[in-house]
Amino acid sequence: MAVIGFLITLSILVLVHEWGHYIVARWCGVKVLAFSIGFGKVLYKRTDKRGCEWRLSAIPFGGYVSMLDEGMQQDAAKDHGLSEAEFKRWSFSEKPVGKRIAVVAAGPLMNFLLAIVIYAAIAMVGTYQPSTKLAEPLPHTQAAQLGIEEGWRATSVEGMSVETFNDMRMAMIAHLGDKEVRVTFDEASGRKTERFFDLSGVKNDGTEDPALTSGLFPYQGPVKLVKVEEGSVAQAAGLQVDDTIVALNGEPVRTMQRIVQTIRDKAGVPVALTVERAGVRQTVEVTPAAQVDEQGKTTGRLGVMFTADPDLVYTREGPIGALAKGVSDTWRLTKLTVMSMAGLLTGAVSTDSLGGPVMIGEMAGEAMSFGVLSYLLFLALISVNLGILNLLPIPVLDGGHLLFYCYEIVMRRKPGEKMKKYGLYVGMAFIFGLTFFALGNDITRLLQ
């Protein structure tokens, strides 16, 4: 599934990206010689009436659009039946700098457009999403300190109406760094109230969720066991699938977050777990097994999987509203991704978070296993990441070409060959370095 997911995802993204270059090149009067999905040996090709050769190549790690350009030899142009005048007329390099910018920028912009279309389509079809009804806050979080209780429902963030938990999360992301962010709630009794959250300490590199960090979690129904691992301490204690967890050490518990936090803090320490089975409550004693996490900290583990039914709300938009939501969701995702990339450069985000083909394949396969909606959301995420990556001002990438064109506009001349050559070295070093970290992380994950 991971291999299939990776190939399908990459093929879609490459097709969309290169189609942007292709179609705008045609609009700008540039002759396109070839459009290829993949690199290397051509497995299949077909030439259309415009003389463009459509290729399917052996190495499925990208693609390209080949255009008539000054870098080609005149003999190569003649091979396509072009005169010297036609060569100059249809050559990419002979076009005004504005048209060259349009052709190069079209690829990344198509990636953003794909995300907009996906989000807009999902909004038009309609989806069930977790509502803003809240679970019991974890102790010592801002939400707990502010007196927020289970069953409260958030209605707005700084005056912006929110209907789903994700709406609330995204609205809070827009105010990262602010010391007083006003959130309006409907209490369980129906009375309206306001609370002010300090988001100045939440990292703005995309690694922290301001809602969850503040102690706001979506409401959950009863917590049930859906899996008990063979040979686990949970199985030894007699826990079974479909058991409902109602209390820990005699204290009522309503959320998976509270259960997980308690168990993690009780490695090697007996815990009295009260469960309800077929309408009958019973208390069993279980001692969480000790394990060492990635940070070297010893934590407790039962060997079970939980589930809890969320409070869902159905959302659906008309064409205009869906388009607006598609644009806003893509913009929010873009800002979050840029913050994460900035965190990588400053060291705030570890390079361990980088992933290559293996990680993308695993994520794609997992998203596919959850259905079409999950996969489309994953595709939008990766498409935005690809668009941003290609816009980085690094030679070899589209953003590097755009940087040279900006130089041409300012200096009123094209960059010299020496500048291009050293720019190429810098770009290749960046690509190799990024690839090295990504593949290294992939290998590390496979060996764990």
Side-chain angles (χ1 to χ4, degrees):
M1 183 64 79
V3 173
I4 293 173
F6 173 75
L7 293 177
I8 292 176
T9 300
L10 193 62
S11 297
I12 293 173
L13 295 180
V14 169
L15 180 62
V16 168
H17 182 95
E18 299 302 334
W19 178 262
H21 292 313
Y22 167 80
I23 196 65
V24 176
R26 276 185 46 195
W27 291 343
C28 291
V30 177
K31 183 171 181 58
V32 181
L33 305 179
F35 187 118
S36 177
I37 299 296
F39 296 102
K41 183 179 179 181
V42 178
L43 303 177
Y44 172 81
K45 63 182 179 180
R46 182 182 67 84
T47 303
D48 64 20
K49 62 182 181 180
R50 297 184 181 85
C52 176
E53 187 174 273
W54 297 80
R55 303 169 180 169
L56 182 63
S57 301
I59 305 175
F61 293 104
Y64 60 89
V65 170
S66 176
M67 292 175 276
L68 195 66
D69 190 57
E70 66 179 356
M72 300 177 61
Q73 299 292 325
Q74 288 290 340
D75 290 341
K78 291 177 181 178
D79 289 340
H80 292 277
L82 301 176
S83 65
E84 184 175 346
E86 289 174 325
F87 177 84
K88 289 186 176 182
R89 177 185 174 189
W90 289 332
S91 174
F92 173 78
S93 54
E94 295 295 323
K95 296 299 178 183
V97 67
K99 289 188 175 182
R100 281 179 276 143
I101 288 175
V103 172
V104 172
L109 293 180
M110 281 296 289
N111 288 121
F112 293 110
L113 181 60
L114 174 62
I116 291 173
V117 170
I118 289 174
Y119 285 129
I122 291 173
M124 282 189 66
V125 171
T127 57
Y128 285 96
Q129 297 186 49
S131 72
T132 58
K133 187 176 181 180
L134 301 174
E136 177 189 9
L138 289 175
H140 312 302
T141 60
Q142 281 195 65
Q145 294 167 357
L146 291 172
I148 292 171
E149 300 177 0
E150 181 182 63
W152 286 22
R153 193 180 297 269
T155 57
S156 68
V157 176
E158 284 294 334
M160 177 183 292
S161 178
V162 293
E163 187 177 4
T164 68
F165 189 84
N166 192 55
D167 289 341
M168 181 183 71
R169 172 192 288 123
M170 289 300 182
M172 294 180 76
I173 287 176
H175 293 280
L176 286 178
D178 294 355
K179 289 189 67 66
E180 288 192 348
V181 178
R182 177 169 52 90
V183 182
T184 305
F185 298 92
D186 282 344
E187 297 181 7
S189 63
R191 186 173 71 93
K192 286 194 176 293
T193 186
E194 293 181 347
R195 294 293 187 274
F196 292 86
F197 288 83
D198 182 0
L199 301 184
S200 60
V202 181
K203 293 181 180 178
N204 65 351
D205 54 21
T207 61
E208 290 187 352
D209 185 312
L212 303 184
T213 301
S214 300
L216 300 174
F217 293 91
Y219 177 86
Q220 300 168 1
V223 180
K224 292 185 178 182
L225 301 185
V226 293
K227 181 179 180 181
V228 178
E229 296 178 2
E230 290 287 335
S232 65
V233 295
Q235 186 186 52
L239 294 176
Q240 299 178 12
V241 172
D242 290 333
D243 282 352
T244 299
I245 300 176
V246 295
L248 285 172
N249 291 330
E251 294 185 7
V253 62
R254 292 279 297 122
T255 66
M256 289 188 290
Q257 290 81 14
R258 175 70 71 87
I259 296 171
V260 170
Q261 183 187 55
T262 301
I263 296 302
R264 285 177 62 87
D265 293 340
K266 299 291 185 181
V269 179
V271 175
L273 198 63
T274 303
V275 300
E276 185 173 292
R277 183 184 304 161
V280 178
R281 291 192 177 188
Q282 56 182 292
T283 300
V284 298
E285 187 175 277
V286 57
T287 302
Q291 69 172 13
V292 180
D293 62 17
E294 295 177 354
Q295 286 74 41
K297 181 181 178 182
T298 300
T299 60
R301 185 175 186 274
L302 290 182
V304 299
M305 290 182 64
F306 309 108
T307 188
D309 294 331
D311 183 69
L312 300 177
V313 59
Y314 182 72
T315 62
R316 186 176 182 180
E317 299 283 351
I320 297 177
L323 179 59
K325 185 167 179 56
V327 172
S328 64
D329 285 354
T330 301
W331 173 243
R332 288 170 178 170
L333 179 57
T334 299
K335 288 198 297 183
L336 194 60
T337 304
V338 169
M339 287 190 293
S340 297
M341 289 185 173
L344 285 171
L345 295 176
T346 61
V349 178
S350 172
T351 54
D352 292 342
S353 62
L354 290 173
V358 175
M359 182 178 178
I360 294 174
E362 288 178 345
M363 292 174 66
E366 184 176 353
M368 282 183 165
S369 69
F370 283 105
V372 175
L373 176 61
S374 176
Y375 178 70
L376 288 175
L377 291 172
F378 166 76
L379 189 62
L381 170 68
I382 299 298
S383 190
V384 167
N385 275 262
L386 180 62
I388 294 172
L389 180 65
N390 269 282
L391 284 175
L392 293 178
I394 306 294
V396 179
L397 300 177
D398 291 331
H401 294 296
L402 295 175
L403 182 64
F404 284 147
Y405 298 149
C406 290
Y407 172 90
E408 182 178 342
I409 292 173
V410 173
M411 303 303 294
R412 297 176 181 260
R413 67 174 184 274
K414 292 183 179 180
E417 291 303 316
K418 193 172 182 180
M419 179 184 292
K420 289 182 180 179
K421 182 177 72 172
Y422 286 115
L424 179 64
Y425 293 156
V426 171
M428 293 302 294
F430 173 81
I431 295 298
F432 283 135
L434 191 64
T435 303
F436 170 78
F437 278 114
L439 290 178
N441 289 343
D442 279 350
I443 294 171
T444 301
R445 292 186 188 98
L446 287 175
L447 295 177
Q448 286 179 345

